[in-house]
Amino acid sequence: MGVKQFIKSLHAFPRAEEHLLQKTQSGAVVSIIGLVIMATLFLHELRYYLTTYTVHQMSVDLKRGETLPIHINMTFPSLPCDVLSVDAIDMSGKHEVDLDTNIWKLRLNRDGFIIGTEYLSDLVEKEHADHKHDHNKDHHGDSDQKLHAHSFDQDAENMVKKVKQALANGEGCRVYGVLDVQRVAGNFHISVHGLNIFVAQLIFDGAIHVNVSHIIHDLSFGPKYPGLHNPLDGTVRILHGASGTFKYYIKIVPTEYRYISKEVLPTNQFSVMEYFSPMNEFDRTWPAVYFLYDLSPVTVTIKEERRSFLHFITRLCAVLGGTFALTGMLDRWMYRFLEMLTKPNAKSVYR
């Protein structure tokens, strides 16, 4: 055997003889079906290759001296904006009352439509330093005597009338903005704690009448990344009976999201547990909505990655080759089946 003959013997795709290359209608149908299947599988594999997937990694959180952004968007349908305040306190001892740097309030009517976009300060914010709400004191002792002894200016009296009128009209308030706190455990709460205790008594005639029903449209601790779900978004808590205090215990997990473009997005994800404490007329505290947060010592890194091109080619060859082989087998089976059906008819013609 010569060299040329040896090389020809290695040919893995020998040509069939002309009389064996018979074209049939059944073969055409199978070919069309095979082409459609291969085109569909090709597009599926191409989309699978182009889409990214994420890889999660965990490590110890080493960040120091940074702030924690808290994005708030809540509606209080039963409390006017004049009485609501946002207070924050953390383990470092920093206590801020009625934060208004990045927090805004929108006045809402009974139907939930905005009737005012201006920022509304608390009633007696200037007196809050001298008359703080103390959860450990009895607010019901001799409050009537102190109330008469305390002198209010004309502006405060007018504000009390305004708030009572707003309550009668069913006004609500939407609180939204960004609260920047230190990156340590702490809490922030939304309530009437920014009010002078005596003014609050005049307006509500007792803490049990403070309705802290609320709707959480958005509560997050940083920008959102693809696939992030904030468990408190869309939470609705409406009180129809006695009031009380809502407490949300939040565990924050520092997170970094790394896009396929190498861009890094620092943010946070969290889990939450909810607790409600009903209030009676003998309680010394005032209703509020508390968010008590703590940070995890572990940070999560989420990376976007794309599958390799060789992986794509390997899957593509397997899928297309398998489909081609399967349709070839189907064509042969159909040809033999039709041949078996037509062969007896051919014999009957010659008899």
Side-chain angles (χ1 to χ4, degrees), residues 331-350:
D331 176 50
R332 287 194 297 271
W333 292 341
M334 289 187 64
Y335 178 77
R336 292 174 182 175
F337 178 71
L338 293 176
E339 188 179 23
M340 290 177 58
L341 293 179
T342 57
K343 194 173 183 180
N345 295 334
K347 289 182 178 180
S348 63
V349 173
Y350 292 103

Side-chain angles (χ1 to χ4, degrees), residues 157-313:
E157 293 179 1
N158 293 337
M159 189 63 71
V160 170
K161 295 179 180 178
K162 178 183 177 182
V163 173
K164 286 188 174 183
Q165 183 62 41
L167 287 171
N169 295 336
E171 281 192 22
C173 184
R174 185 163 186 167
V175 181
Y176 73 96
V178 180
L179 181 64
D180 291 318
V181 297
Q182 296 193 34
R183 199 179 181 83
V184 294
N187 77 80
F188 68 95
H189 54 276
I190 305 176
S191 63
V192 297
H193 292 169
L195 288 176
N196 180 284
I197 180 62
F198 309 116
V199 175
Q201 287 283 4
L202 273 179
I203 294 175
F204 296 103
D205 192 23
I208 197 172
H209 299 118
V210 179
N211 190 338
V212 290
S213 298
H214 58 279
I215 303 171
I216 303 177
H217 306 287
D218 175 58
L219 180 69
S220 57
F221 296 85
K224 295 184 178 181
Y225 60 84
L228 175 64
H229 171 68
N230 293 320
L232 285 179
D233 290 359
T235 300
V236 179
R237 297 293 180 265
I238 304 298
L239 297 175
H240 299 285
S243 186
T245 297
F246 290 90
K247 291 184 178 181
Y248 297 96
Y249 294 91
I250 298 173
K251 191 69 172 182
I252 301 173
V253 180
T255 304
E256 281 188 351
Y257 193 88
R258 298 179 180 271
Y259 289 93
I260 196 71
S261 61
K262 306 302 181 182
E263 180 184 356
V264 179
L265 177 67
T267 183
N268 300 277
Q269 52 185 324
F270 67 93
S271 60
V272 62
M273 293 183 63
E274 179 182 351
Y275 178 74
F276 174 71
S277 177
M279 177 168 291
N280 57 58
E281 58 183 350
F282 301 106
D283 285 335
R284 301 178 181 181
T285 59
W286 287 73
V289 180
Y290 282 87
F291 298 91
L292 302 98
Y293 56 88
D294 191 10
L295 283 89
S296 171
V298 175
T299 182
V300 176
T301 302
I302 305 175
K303 294 182 180 181
E304 284 186 349
E305 293 189 0
R306 181 167 290 158
R307 297 164 184 87
S308 67
F309 183 72
L310 290 178
H311 183 267
F312 168 67
I313 293 298

Side-chain angles (χ1 to χ4, degrees), residues 44-53 305-307:
H44 178 270
E45 289 298 323
L46 181 61
R47 185 178 63 177
Y48 180 74
Y49 165 69
L50 294 177
T51 55
T52 59
Y53 66 98
E305 293 189 0
R306 181 167 290 158
R307 297 164 184 87

Side-chain angles (χ1 to χ4, degrees), residues 122-192:
D122 282 331
L123 287 177
V124 285
E125 182 181 356
K126 62 182 179 180
E127 300 176 2
H128 186 275
D130 298 326
H131 300 280
K132 293 181 180 178
H133 282 265
D134 189 349
H135 298 295
N136 298 321
K137 291 183 178 180
D138 188 354
H139 295 307
H140 299 277
D142 55 348
S143 59
D144 291 338
Q145 281 184 336
K146 292 181 180 180
L147 183 61
H148 293 294
H150 192 84
S151 61
F152 299 102
D153 56 20
Q154 188 64 36
D155 292 338
E157 293 179 1
N158 293 337
M159 189 63 71
V160 170
K161 295 179 180 178
K162 178 183 177 182
V163 173
K164 286 188 174 183
Q165 183 62 41
L167 287 171
N169 295 336
E171 281 192 22
C173 184
R174 185 163 186 167
V175 181
Y176 73 96
V178 180
L179 181 64
D180 291 318
V181 297
Q182 296 193 34
R183 199 179 181 83
V184 294
N187 77 80
F188 68 95
H189 54 276
I190 305 176
S191 63
V192 297

